Amino acid sequence: MFVDKAKIFVKGGDGGDGLVAFRREKYVPEGGPAGGDGGNGGDVVFRVDEGLRTLMDFRYQKHFKAERGEKGRNKSMHGANSEDMIVRIPPGTTIIDDDTQEVIADLTRHGQEVVVAKGGRGGRGNTRFATARVTAPEIAENGEEGVERWVILEMKVMADVGLVGFPSVGKSTLLSVVSAAKPKIAAYHFTTLTPNLGVVDVGDGRSFVMADLPGLIEGAHEGVGLGHEFLRHVERTRVIVHVVDMSAADGRDPYEDFIKINEEIKLYNAKLEQRPQIVVANKMDMPESEDNLAMFKEQLAADGKDYAVYPISALTRGGVQELLYKISDIVESIPNAPEVEGVAQTEERKVYRFEKREENDFTIRRDNDVFVIESPSIEKLIKRTNFTTQDGIARFARILRNMGIDDELRKRGAVHGQTIQIGDFDFEFDENNL
């Protein structure tokens, strides 16, 4: 089964907790703190494996969670960092954040990788908090939580040449006669439901990969019919080979079909209009095909469209070899795979940067008798604070006081004993905590 789109959940490993410990050695009366830091959680890393061709594996496994770091140890020993979780994906996969629709990465080459979910940092042990004034602190941090997100994987076929055109114009037949691919062929519409790839040997030492892509209908750019399931793969091809049925089967107009297909491609992505395109007049072995071809060329000239038209018969293989030579020449003139909308091909990894925290990054609002403090940085601090020790509680209160929260609460009328809510936690305002 060919699967080219999947939605999965990824989570970086949580950091290990720091440790509160003290040295207790014979003949060492004041050994001091000896709690080590927790280890960092593992990252979730996506890596390209050229041996994969679909996203089939992600139909059965949709959750990927890296291991958390080990807790800190005594004797100031650091907890072990967790190994990164490597998730293998096929070349040509675009990774998109499901919430923001941001393109995280577009990976095309074997071995390329990107960190999709960063692991959390390990918490500091009490050794880190020792000072000349506080020689035996009972403070240790909890590990940070790893980043978690839903991402969408979209695989776009990695082919040099993409065959486009209405259903039943002979795309699958052409692929079957120029390569070893065996696509399903039949005399009814929408035979091709998934892309078929084949390696084409031109015969002069050159070769390229050709993809027979699902047929189009009007409204495909809006998702009608196979819609985006087809157009997604056109973005990746270097050369578009537009196959037109010159036999005018079923009373169709070849030129009208040609215009409609190009319009659908343009409406989906305007940049594809600039992609090199070869027009292939297929089924020239059929009656009236010659007359239809002459009319087709006249209409192209009348509209000022400068396309080279190559008449062939995929069934009898007439004109096919000349077509392959021309395709190969154009492919060689475009050495690099086209860029995907929203991300440059040179971008191989996502760079995470720490933004400078604002001094007053909090808001206070009153909900009846409760003061609600909203601040991402304070909520993050709560998660890292160990409230089981008095020193940990005192450090948390000291940080809030230094941020100016106590003074702001007093200005807003907070009195001793009043409830202060931060995230899921309720605290009691203490006027004596000066």
Side-chain angles (χ1 to χ4, degrees), residues 116-318:
V116 179
K118 189 75 175 172
R121 292 181 299 173
R124 292 177 292 178
N126 67 333
T127 303
R128 298 281 191 171
F129 296 96
T131 64
R133 188 170 64 88
V134 183
T135 58
E138 293 188 8
I139 303 173
E141 292 178 329
N142 297 328
E144 276 187 355
E145 293 182 347
V147 173
E148 59 181 61
R149 63 196 339 178
W150 283 92
V151 297
I152 297 172
L153 305 181
E154 287 188 354
M155 199 203 82
K156 301 175 183 179
V157 169
M158 293 291 292
D160 300 308
V161 179
L163 299 175
V164 305
F166 267 88
S168 298
V169 296
K171 301 187 299 295
S172 297
T173 303
L174 177 58
L175 180 66
S176 68
V177 300
V178 299
S179 73
K182 301 299 179 186
K184 183 180 179 182
I185 301 171
Y188 51 86
H189 294 327
F190 295 108
T191 303
T192 304
L193 298 178
T194 61
N196 294 299
L197 278 78
V199 178
V200 179
D201 184 359
V202 179
D204 58 359
R206 296 182 294 177
S207 64
F208 55 84
V209 178
M210 178 181 283
D212 161 29
L213 301 170
L216 274 175
I217 60 174
E218 288 185 78
H221 70 281
E222 297 176 341
V224 176
L226 295 174
H228 296 163
E229 302 303 317
F230 159 82
L231 290 163
R232 177 185 307 126
H233 300 292
V234 180
E235 287 186 293
R236 189 76 70 184
T237 58
R238 293 198 245 179
V239 180
I240 297 174
V241 174
H242 194 151
V243 183
V244 181
D245 180 2
M246 280 298 156
S247 69
D250 300 328
R252 303 193 65 88
D253 183 341
Y255 189 72
E256 185 179 336
D257 288 353
F258 172 77
I259 295 298
K260 286 179 179 177
I261 293 294
N262 278 341
E263 186 65 19
E264 292 299 326
I265 293 173
K266 177 183 175 181
L267 290 172
Y268 176 74
N269 186 343
K271 290 184 179 180
L272 292 176
E273 193 177 23
Q274 309 301 321
R275 196 70 48 83
Q277 183 175 146
I278 297 174
V279 181
V280 175
N282 192 25
K283 302 187 181 180
M284 293 304 297
D285 55 310
M286 301 292 287
E288 301 183 0
S289 291
E290 289 291 346
D291 294 338
N292 291 334
L293 176 59
M295 186 180 298
F296 184 88
K297 290 181 177 179
E298 289 176 4
Q299 290 172 307
L300 277 177
D303 289 346
K305 300 184 183 299
D306 184 21
Y307 287 104
V309 181
Y310 290 83
I312 70 164
S313 171
L315 188 63
T316 66
R317 306 196 181 193

Side-chain angles (χ1 to χ4, degrees), residues 35-110:
D37 300 342
N40 297 328
D43 301 335
V44 178
V45 180
F46 283 18
R47 178 181 297 165
V48 176
D49 184 341
E50 63 185 5
L52 300 178
R53 285 292 176 264
T54 75
L55 299 174
M56 185 67 180
D57 292 345
F58 298 104
R59 288 196 64 181
Y60 305 106
Q61 183 178 356
K62 293 183 178 290
H63 291 76
F64 296 85
K65 299 180 181 180
E67 296 293 328
R68 70 175 301 150
E70 288 189 1
K71 294 182 178 181
R73 302 179 181 181
N74 56 13
K75 297 185 179 179
S76 301
M77 290 192 294
H78 197 292
N81 296 329
S82 177
E83 294 289 334
D84 293 340
M85 170 176 274
I86 306 298
V87 180
R88 299 184 306 135
I89 58 175
T93 300
T94 303
I95 306 165
I96 304 169
D97 186 289
D98 185 48
D99 291 331
T100 65
Q101 295 304 305
E102 173 196 11
V103 177
I104 299 171
D106 175 33
L107 306 181
T108 58
R109 298 191 303 274
H110 179 69

Side-chain angles (χ1 to χ4, degrees), residues 29 89 147 203 355 364 415:
I89 58 175
V147 173
E355 296 181 359
I364 299 177
V415 296

